[in-house]
Amino acid sequence: AKETGKARCVVYNHEKFTQPEHDVSMEAAMFQAVRDGEFLLHYQPIVDARSRQIMGFEALMRWSRPGQGLVSPAQFIPMAESNGLINLLGAWALKAACVQIRRFEEVARRPLYVSVNVSPRQFRNDQFLDIMDEAMQLSGLSGEQLLLEITEGILMSDPEHAEALLTAMTSRNVRIAIDDFGTGYSSLAYLKRFPIATLKIDRAFIKDLPSSVKDVAICNVVLSLASHLNLNTVAEGVENQEQLDFLAAHGCGLIQGYHTGRPLVPDEIIALLKAEQAS
Ligand code: C2E
Ligand code: CA
Ligand code: CA
Ligand code: CA
């Protein structure tokens, strides 16, 4: 779906989410919203920690409710996960993000990657591989330009299924990132068993850098672990220069946060990439 007149951009820019209403009516509205095409994607830049060049984007879903503004994914993703709509929404998001990133590349004139969130229910869905293949065919995106973000719990809940799926992804050069790394209850065993490419360090560990001694220790250990295992690292929720300086100095490769770029609508990303071209 193609979005956005200028007036809407202003609203999205500030990312003011509306307060949740009663859940039952929200759920009913959601089914209708899928039909009416009220969902859209924002794209948040992921930049190189040292050069600050944009390397890729995370696609983040939004629900634009007529007359009510934007609803946060924290609000509707859990609901979509429990009622199954996430399969439909997730498939749309994957395809839309792959197609969109090709347009960004045309403007940037260099390869970019896209990071797409995959929920547990999507990961378990038999059709997931077909949907992924379709997204890549439709867009012409190559495997190494697609990063799928999953949470650590998904892998060990059904390791045989995960193994088969990840093997199929690896054969297409599609990479896997562990989202919210360190916040789940899982062990590190999955890092040994599965071909993981990237760890995304959760904002919870970034927020109080560099003043919190504990967060400094945790980040250092995660960055060292990643380096020894040859994994890429993305720090999430970087909001200021002190955090960025600490992370760059301690070997974190990539940065994602309000400090280096908020989630934006495609037109705004295109403007950003054009400005980069002109400079
Ligand atoms: P996430 O995957 O951990 O995504 C990162 C969240 O942090 C996003 O929230 C992003 O807007 C926010 N963020 C980025 N930089 C900063 C920062 O500097 N400070 C702060 N305070 N926050 C920052 P968002 O967009 O509200 O998404 C919330 C969650 O909803 C995501 O967390 C993800 O779990 C889920 N989600 C979003 N889009 C999708 C999707 O397409 N599919 C699925 N399954 N889940 C999605
Ligand atoms: Ca994510
Ligand atoms: Ca995350
Ligand atoms: Ca997070």
Side-chain angles (χ1 to χ4, degrees), residues 231-277:
L231 306 175
N232 297 317
T233 42
V234 181
E236 297 189 309
V238 175
E239 293 185 350
N240 59 54
Q241 188 65 39
E242 291 68 41
Q243 293 166 343
L244 175 54
D245 289 343
F246 174 89
L247 290 159
H250 290 80
C252 184
L254 296 160
I255 302 290
Q256 178 180 357
Y258 295 164
H259 184 63
T260 49
R262 289 183 175 260
L264 300 169
V265 296
D267 284 352
E268 292 171 314
I269 296 292
I270 285 169
L272 207 67
L273 293 171
K274 277 185 178 153
E276 175 193 84
Q277 278 276 305

Side-chain angles (χ1 to χ4, degrees), residues 179-180 202-203 236:
D179 206 354
D180 306 336
D202 194 72
R203 190 176 88 90
E236 297 189 309

Side-chain angles (χ1 to χ4, degrees), residues 58 60 117 149 179-180 200 236:
E58 179 172 359
L60 294 163
N117 293 288
E149 299 194 2
D179 206 354
D180 306 336
K200 297 196 74 173
E236 297 189 309

Side-chain angles (χ1 to χ4, degrees), residues 24-169:
V24 177
S25 70
M26 186 173 196
E27 183 157 15
M30 196 159 152
F31 279 92
Q32 202 166 340
V34 173
R35 215 188 48 208
D36 296 347
E38 291 172 13
F39 291 90
L40 65 150
L41 294 171
H42 281 190
Y43 293 86
Q44 184 173 31
I46 298 170
V47 309
D48 184 280
R50 289 175 178 279
S51 71
R52 295 189 57 169
Q53 191 183 38
I54 296 175
M55 308 307 283
F57 300 91
E58 179 172 359
L60 294 163
M61 209 183 287
R62 270 94 184 92
W63 176 11
S64 172
R65 296 194 67 179
Q68 292 189 50
L70 286 186
V71 184
S72 162
Q75 200 59 43
F76 65 82
I77 294 283
M79 201 178 276
E81 179 76 10
S82 67
N83 67 25
L85 263 184
I86 192 66
N87 283 319
L88 206 68
L89 278 175
W92 162 76
L94 185 55
K95 289 176 197 169
C98 288
V99 169
Q100 186 63 64
I101 225 70
R102 294 279 287 173
R103 298 207 187 106
F104 291 161
E105 282 184 325
E106 280 169 29
V107 177
R109 301 210 205 104
R110 59 189 169 84
L112 295 165
Y113 79 88
V114 67
S115 214
V116 181
N117 293 288
V118 177
S119 81
R121 192 155 175 167
Q122 284 176 272
F123 195 81
R124 286 195 305 267
N125 189 294
D126 289 338
Q127 287 167 351
F128 185 71
L129 261 188
D130 291 338
I131 290 161
M132 193 185 79
D133 285 339
E134 216 181 304
M136 283 163 59
Q137 260 161 34
L138 199 76
S139 60
L141 206 71
S142 58
E144 49 289 0
Q145 291 174 276
L146 179 59
L147 189 66
L148 298 174
E149 299 194 2
I150 59 177
T151 47
E152 32 199 4
I154 296 182
L155 293 172
M156 292 317 248
S157 64
D158 187 352
E160 275 74 34
H161 173 69
E163 197 138 46
L165 202 50
L166 265 54
T167 300
M169 287 172 184

